[in-house]
Structure formats: C-alpha cells, structure tokens
Amino acid sequence: MPPATLHQVPIALGDRSYPIVIGTGLLGAASTWSGLPKAAAALVVTNDTVAPLYLAGLQKALAPHYRAVHTVVLPDGEAHKDWQTLNRIFDALLSHGCDRKTVLFALGGGVVGDMTGFAAASYMRGVPFVQVPTTLLAQVDSSVGGKTGINHPLGKNMVGAFYQPARVVCDLDTLKTLPPREFSAGLAEVIKYGPIADMPFLDWIEADLDQLLRREPAALARAVQRSCEIKAWVVGQDERESGLRAILNFGHTFGHAIEAGLGYGEWLHGEAVGCGMVMAAHLSQRLGLVDDAFVARLTRLVQAAGLPVRGPAFGADRYLAMMRLDKKAEAGDIRFIVIDAPGRAAVRPAPEAMVRDVIAHCTA
Amino acid sequence: MPPATLHQVPIALGDRSYPIVIGTGLLGAASTWSGLPKAAAALVVTNDTVAPLYLAGLQKALAPHYRAVHTVVLPDGEAHKDWQTLNRIFDALLSHGCDRKTVLFALGGGVVGDMTGFAAASYMRGVPFVQVPTTLLAQVDSSVGGKTGINHPLGKNMVGAFYQPARVVCDLDTLKTLPPREFSAGLAEVIKYGPIADMPFLDWIEADLDQLLRREPAALARAVQRSCEIKAWVVGQDERESGLRAILNFGHTFGHAIEAGLGYGEWLHGEAVGCGMVMAAHLSQRLGLVDDAFVARLTRLVQAAGLPVRGPAFGADRYLAMMRLDKKAEAGDIRFIVIDAPGRAAVRPAPEAMVRDVIAHCTA
C-alpha cells in the first residue's frame, strides 16, 4: 500500500517551527524523508526491541538522502535512560567522524526520543534531529514539544534540554506491534488531554474506547491527531514551560513519585501517569474544584483503558520526598496540576495533610 | 579598597543579552551580585586550586542575596572536563534539593566555566548561571559568548550547549595570583584578537607587553576590555557560529590537534592556541594571503608572551586525524581560520599537502 499522510499538525515556534506528520506506510517510504536539512550522514538511534521490526525499512528509505546512514541500537527500557547509554550515541557519532550537520533519527518510544533529542542538542552543541515515534505514548506526547533528557539516580529527566526536532513522523502502522501493556500506557496520555483541555474529546474516547483498544486505524488517527493538536496549541504558547505548558503534566507529579519511589522501570511511565491522574483528580475534588462524579468517571475510563488506578503502598513520606524533587517544585513547595473545572487545568499548591489523605486513599 | 567597576561591555543578544563587568575588588562586594534572577539558593562551582583563594569571599558576598549558598569543589584541570566531574554538579544540586530557579556561579577558569555552564544549561533543562572567571584566558575568551561543554575521549568540547550566562564578572584582582604559565596562556587569546580584527590593538600589545607581563592594572584592564569588546561584537552578530564567529577560532584547529594529539592537559589550551596561531599564520602565508614579515611578527610576539611557537612532533598523520574530528570540519574536509589580510580573518579549506608542509615546518 502506498504511504498515506492522513494529517499534518504544525507546531508554531517561529524559526523552530516544524510539522507533525501522521499517516500510514510513512516509515519505509523515501518521500517521507525529503526536505530535511542537508547532510552527508544520518544516524538512526533505536533500541533492541524496535530494531528488528523497523530499522532495516527506515535505513532503506533514508539511503537516497544521505551518503551514509549509520545506526546505533541501545538496550530497551527506562532503566537505560542514563548517561552511560546516552554516551553510546556520542561514541557512534564520533567514531564515524560525524560532523555538525549530521541528522539524528530517533526510532522508538519516549526513551529513545528523549535520549536522541538530548544527544542532538548536545553533540557539537547542536545537530538537527527527527522524531520517528513508534509507540502511542511517544506519538501523542513525548516526541512533540522538544523536551529531551536523561534520568539521574536522584530524579527523572533531571538532566536535559529544550530542543525542537526538525520533524515528527507518526507512522500509525507501528502501533500494531505494540504490546497491550504499552498501548494502554499510551492511552493514559491520550486521556489526559480531555480533562485538561477538551471534554468533547474525552466523550469520544469513552464512546470509542473499544475501537481504540482494537487499534482500528480511523480511531488511532483521530486519537493521535487530536492529542498532537492540543499539545501543539499548548507548546506554541509556552515552549519552555514558564506557565501554561505545565498543564500537560496533569497526573505527572504523583506519577513521577510512583516511578521514582518504585525505581524506574517497574511501572511504565504511562501507567504511573494513569494512576497519577486519578490521584490528582481526587486532590482536585478535595480542593473543591470538581465533584465526585468527575473523579469516578475519570477513574472508570483509566481502568477501562487497562491502567492501574491504585498507587503502590510505599508510604506517604516517600511519595512526598519524591514529589519535592519534581522539577515543578519551587523552594521545597510541591505544586500540583489540578482540574480547575472539567476541560481546564491549573497549577496549585495543596496542603500537605490533604496530599497525605489522597495518598492514603489511593494506594493499595 | 572599595570595588571599582572600570568598564561594562554589553553583549547584545535580544532577550539573552547580558553585561560583562570588569573591575577591581568586585568578587567580595555584595553589591556586585545585585539584580540577578531571584532564587532561594545559589550553587558556587569552583576547583581545588581556586577555592582556597576566593571561595569564602564570594560565598560571603552572595549570602545577603540567597537563603542558601551551596558549594561544590571540583578537581582542577582539563583532564577532569568530563562527564564524571560534571555529574558532581548535578549530584550537588539534587542532594540539596535545588529547584529550577537556582543560580549557578562558575568561579574559576575556562574548565569550571564550560562545565558549570553546561550543567546550568542541562539541569532541569536550564537554570540561570553567572560567570566569575579568575584566569586571563577565561576573562578574555571562554566566559563570554555562551559556549559550554565537556570533552569526550574522542574529541574536545564535543558535548555541550550554546547557553548564555546572566552576567560575567571579571575581577582583575584575581589575575594577580595566576601562575606565569597560565597568564601567558591567557595572553594567547588576547593576542588573537589583533590579527583577526584589530591591528592597532596588536600594536599596543607589542608596545606594552612588559606592562602586561608585570600585570599592571591599567594594562590588564585595557587588554580585558578590548578583548571582550571584540568578542561581544562577533558573538552579537553570530551567536551560534553559523559564520563570522568561527574567526574566533584562529589558531584553534592546529591548537586542538596539539591538545588532542598529546592528550588533554599536557599543554595548556592557550599554549596550544599560541602555537596554533603561528601555524595558521604560516598556512595563510602559503595561501598567499599575508607576507613573511607578518608571520615573523606574530611568531615573535607569541614567543615574547612566553608561549611555544613550535608544535610537538607526533607526525602529520596524527595532526590531520585530530583536525578531521574538529567541530568545524564538514564531511571530512578540514576548514581553517586564516588571516585574509592583517586584521581580518576568514574560513578556508587548504590543500592537504600544504597543511602537511606547515606541520613539518612548524614542529620540533
């Protein structure tokens, strides 16, 4: 089947603007990769799960555009989102004598995208890169908006850069091979866009969840497109997260605490965000912003999407300690993304006792 | 003696503009540090040579401005400009629970400045930082213009970011304690500004070299001020080195080859640049751009400043291999900064045989 571009979502950031291209059959088509910055060489970064599925196809499609297409295959998983693994990208670039026009391609999920993006931001102080997300989570969230980075033993994504890709290519075909657990993790970030920005989108997700879970192309296209539109709208107004952009972190303060508290890699990021959204909804309810019915509705949908709705019981102290290390914290005060009203989010502090109550209520 | 601001050089980069403040008695005066971005905490990064001389004074002067002034003392030297040492800055920031408003202060020479700047660029994707250069080289070159980074075993400054400080404070008093070898290394970068941009400045350096070598305050002030003015003028036109800024690398292509070929830390950066300028002048002469008298004049001045004028004899092959890894190389072609005419520089390729001739002629 010939490639089909179903939709293009522009990200408007002045001279750092770029398109998100959404469609089918894109990855293996040479035409997908036209019009990128000129260079002698490309480096495709991927992981050992994705490589057997898509690396050869992408390499072949890139071949007409570059004299050399190098590759580096990293170990899969959040546990490897560290300096040692990042350094393998620099090793590959330098051992191939790659110059500062070399274009990097991030073929994989959020971890590959974040690490490749940070490598691109840092190699010779910046080379172009292209996001080729192959997971639902990466297509609807992490590949868009220019957040890149690695984890530090004391905190997730603590070392990184704001660095925009030259293009994002979302090939919906790649979602077919995703394990169910990872697909559900991606749905967490899709669901997120409803309560923070677009309740009719939440209505649609609820109504068509079965089609989504069956990965019907039309449903996938709509989920990816609308998610990217909302993310593009937010990032276009606040690239460096000085304000509005923080709403995209709904569920992430509790979620990061779960991930860090258990050790990275125990829960998938999307699983932690799914559960984190339920906890943040409870907090919003206790702050008098939303009603019980809203909390129950969001909890039902998160659960129906195949995601956990109860957090691990490692104690409120540990949750709070992890949240104080969150990047959104300021001078030790934890700030939460809460739902101000269905379809609208805001950043607010919350009394510690209330947060402890929510943790006690929502953990197994 | 009360602090005296002798000069302020503005760096005009739109919303990333900042001043270079040059004077005496600045470091220990609380007023020097007014008007910086507000934060609960500061972290002073320095090394074990500079710490006993200036750390306590700076900490005391910063105390009125921040609730907490943390410090981290790194091992001194180019050999430590690596990921492991950089990570000690992240460890300090995270173990003190520093948020993303924390201001970093780079107290030391070029290595401390480059590493602190890259840590500031990367910590939580960017926190403010202030350059407090204590070496001549850092005051006239590396602290100004926003180049930050670390070395990789396969190349110098290969991993980094363009990231501008909020302020540069050059306290001329700190130059008094500089060992003669380091002071001469700094003079290499001062001399550099003459042939690339300002021959009357070169005339003055030749005439007043003795005063400079005796570190007379008036001579130091003039050298630092004029160097910063020229650098500010260049960086203001080309922040990310897409063109003009490359002229600041006069002497650096040969110089980096010397440093990398010997192993970082054998020669000081400024020593390699001094010798590299002589080699680049020879190349310019062979390209028919300058005459023998110009080469002889520059060689004499570099030598009189206490710098080497003959490169190490590790063979032309190794020089060329190291130069191909230079960030200015493109698709394997080495590009040199040459003197087009006295006072004006340009970027040009050169025939390999000619480069080999220059290496043979200029190495011991």
Side-chain angles (χ1 to χ4, degrees):
Chain A
M1 232 170 38
T5 297
L6 302 173
H7 205 77
Q8 283 223 19
V9 179
I11 307 265
L13 293 167
D15 60 0
R16 293 182 306 290
S17 297
Y18 56 94
I20 309 166
V21 183
I22 302 163
T24 57
L26 296 176
L27 200 144
S31 59
T32 303
W33 315 107
S34 297
L36 289 167
K38 296 251 170 287
L43 175 74
V44 182
V45 182
T46 188
N47 68 36
D48 48 18
T49 304
V50 175
L53 298 168
Y54 303 114
L55 181 54
L58 179 58
Q59 260 188 295
K60 205 176 149 200
L62 291 176
H65 301 288
Y66 303 95
R67 253 191 280 158
V69 180
H70 307 292
T71 63
V72 58
V73 179
L74 308 176
D76 188 12
E78 182 85 23
H80 300 286
K81 193 174 167 180
D82 56 14
W83 172 259
Q84 283 75 16
T85 310
L86 179 73
N87 212 32
R88 290 185 48 186
I89 306 177
F90 298 131
D91 292 343
L93 287 163
L94 285 163
S95 64
H96 291 302
C98 289
D99 64 28
R100 62 179 164 190
K101 301 206 155 173
T102 307
V103 182
L104 270 58
F105 290 80
L107 175 67
V111 173
V112 164
D114 283 9
M115 284 204 291
T116 306
F118 188 41
S122 307
Y123 184 62
M124 294 190 177
R125 301 194 189 95
V127 295
F129 87 112
V130 176
Q131 291 274 17
V132 192
T134 60
T135 67
L136 181 58
L137 187 135
Q139 291 192 358
V140 301
D141 183 42
S142 57
S143 70
V144 175
K147 281 196 182 178
T148 72
I150 55 173
N151 298 328
H152 183 282
L154 295 176
K156 196 174 148 63
N157 294 324
M158 283 296 167
V159 175
F162 286 101
Y163 195 70
Q164 300 296 341
R167 188 178 296 176
V168 180
V169 175
C170 299
D171 188 333
L172 299 171
D173 294 340
T174 62
L175 303 182
K176 291 181 199 157
T177 52
L178 217 52
R181 193 178 158 198
E182 277 209 51
F183 188 81
S184 288
L187 282 179
E189 300 279 5
V190 176
I191 292 168
K192 174 187 80 178
Y193 292 108
I196 66 168
D198 185 352
M199 288 302 283
F201 183 52
L202 195 74
D203 296 340
W204 171 75
I205 300 170
E206 280 177 326
D208 283 8
L209 185 64
D210 285 349
Q211 282 98 307
L212 270 172
L213 288 169
R214 281 198 303 269
R215 307 189 200 178
E216 291 186 6
L220 292 178
R222 178 163 178 179
V224 173
Q225 175 191 329
R226 188 62 189 146
S227 298
C228 287
E229 281 170 359
I230 296 171
K231 181 139 191 188
W233 172 77
V234 172
V235 171
Q237 292 173 81
D238 177 23
E239 183 179 4
R240 296 180 75 91
E241 195 166 318
S242 43
L244 178 68
R245 182 164 178 166
I247 68 167
L248 298 174
N249 288 317
F250 176 56
H252 285 61
T253 305
F254 288 104
H256 282 173
I258 292 172
E259 286 186 274
L262 288 175
Y264 297 124
E266 271 302 305
W267 283 30
L268 296 176
H269 174 67
E271 291 173 333
V273 168
C275 181
M277 287 194 293
V278 170
M279 296 172 84
H282 276 283
L283 188 67
S284 307
Q285 185 270 329
R286 275 161 209 249
L287 287 165
L289 304 168
V290 295
D291 59 17
D292 286 339
F294 176 85
V295 178
R297 180 185 174 190
L298 186 64
T299 307
R300 261 196 318 273
L301 180 58
V302 169
Q303 188 153 36
L307 294 161
V309 293
R310 297 192 69 74
F314 49 63
D317 287 346
R318 190 160 168 79
Y319 271 90
L320 286 161
M322 294 299 157
M323 291 193 284
R324 285 212 177 81
L325 284 172
D326 190 87
K327 286 192 292 302
K328 290 178 295 303
E330 263 177 36
D333 292 332
I334 307 162
R335 295 156 75 231
F336 294 90
I337 318 302
V338 294
I339 301 304
D340 234 10
R344 204 177 66 219
V347 183
R348 300 226 182 163
E352 184 177 317
M354 190 186 283
V355 177
R356 287 181 179 274
D357 271 359
V358 168
I359 293 167
H361 181 81
C362 294
T363 54
Chain B
M1 231 170 35
T5 298
L6 302 173
H7 204 79
Q8 283 222 19
V9 179
I11 307 265
L13 293 168
D15 61 359
R16 294 182 306 289
S17 298
Y18 57 93
I20 308 166
V21 183
I22 302 163
T24 58
L26 296 176
L27 200 146
S31 58
T32 303
W33 314 107
S34 297
L36 289 168
K38 295 251 170 287
L43 174 74
V44 181
V45 181
T46 188
N47 68 37
D48 48 18
T49 305
V50 174
L53 299 168
Y54 303 115
L55 180 54
L58 178 58
Q59 259 188 297
K60 205 176 149 201
L62 291 176
H65 301 286
Y66 303 95
R67 254 191 279 157
V69 179
H70 307 292
T71 63
V72 58
V73 179
L74 307 176
D76 189 11
E78 182 85 23
H80 299 286
K81 192 173 167 180
D82 56 15
W83 172 259
Q84 282 75 17
T85 311
L86 178 72
N87 213 32
R88 290 183 50 186
I89 305 176
F90 297 130
D91 292 343
L93 286 163
L94 285 164
S95 64
H96 292 302
C98 288
D99 64 27
R100 62 180 164 189
K101 301 205 155 174
T102 307
V103 183
L104 270 59
F105 290 80
L107 175 68
V111 173
V112 165
D114 283 9
M115 284 204 291
T116 307
F118 188 41
S122 308
Y123 184 62
M124 295 189 175
R125 302 196 189 93
V127 296
F129 87 113
V130 176
Q131 290 275 19
V132 192
T134 60
T135 67
L136 182 57
L137 187 136
Q139 292 192 357
V140 301
D141 183 41
S142 58
S143 71
V144 174
K147 281 195 183 180
T148 73
I150 56 174
N151 297 330
H152 183 281
L154 294 177
K156 198 172 147 64
N157 294 324
M158 283 296 167
V159 176
F162 286 101
Y163 195 70
Q164 300 297 340
R167 188 177 295 176
V168 180
V169 174
C170 299
D171 188 333
L172 300 170
D173 294 340
T174 61
L175 304 181
K176 290 182 200 155
T177 51
L178 217 52
R181 193 179 158 196
E182 278 209 51
F183 188 80
S184 288
L187 281 179
E189 301 279 6
V190 176
I191 292 167
K192 174 187 80 178
Y193 292 108
I196 66 167
D198 186 351
M199 288 302 283
F201 184 51
L202 195 74
D203 298 340
W204 170 76
I205 299 170
E206 279 177 327
D208 282 9
L209 185 64
D210 285 350
Q211 283 99 305
L212 270 172
L213 288 169
R214 282 198 303 271
R215 307 188 199 180
E216 291 186 6
L220 291 178
R222 179 162 178 182
V224 173
Q225 176 190 328
R226 188 62 189 145
S227 297
C228 287
E229 282 170 358
I230 296 171
K231 179 139 191 188
W233 172 77
V234 171
V235 170
Q237 292 172 81
D238 177 24
E239 182 180 5
R240 295 180 76 90
E241 196 167 316
S242 42
L244 178 69
R245 183 164 178 168
I247 69 168
L248 297 173
N249 288 319
F250 176 57
H252 284 61
T253 306
F254 288 103
H256 281 173
I258 292 172
E259 288 186 272
L262 288 175
Y264 297 125
E266 271 302 303
W267 282 30
L268 295 175
H269 175 66
E271 292 172 332
V273 168
C275 181
M277 288 194 292
V278 171
M279 296 173 84
H282 276 283
L283 188 67
S284 308
Q285 184 270 329
R286 275 160 210 251
L287 286 165
L289 304 167
V290 296
D291 59 16
D292 286 340
F294 176 84
V295 178
R297 181 184 173 190
L298 186 64
T299 306
R300 262 196 317 273
L301 180 57
V302 168
Q303 189 153 35
L307 294 161
V309 292
R310 298 192 68 75
F314 48 64
D317 287 346
R318 192 162 168 78
Y319 270 91
L320 286 162
M322 294 298 157
M323 290 193 285
R324 286 212 177 82
L325 284 172
D326 190 87
K327 285 193 293 303
K328 291 179 295 303
E330 263 178 36
D333 292 332
I334 307 161
R335 295 154 76 230
F336 294 90
I337 319 301
V338 295
I339 301 304
D340 234 9
R344 203 177 67 220
V347 183
R348 298 227 184 162
E352 185 177 317
M354 190 185 283
V355 177
R356 286 181 179 273
D357 270 1
V358 168
I359 294 167
H361 181 82
C362 294
T363 55

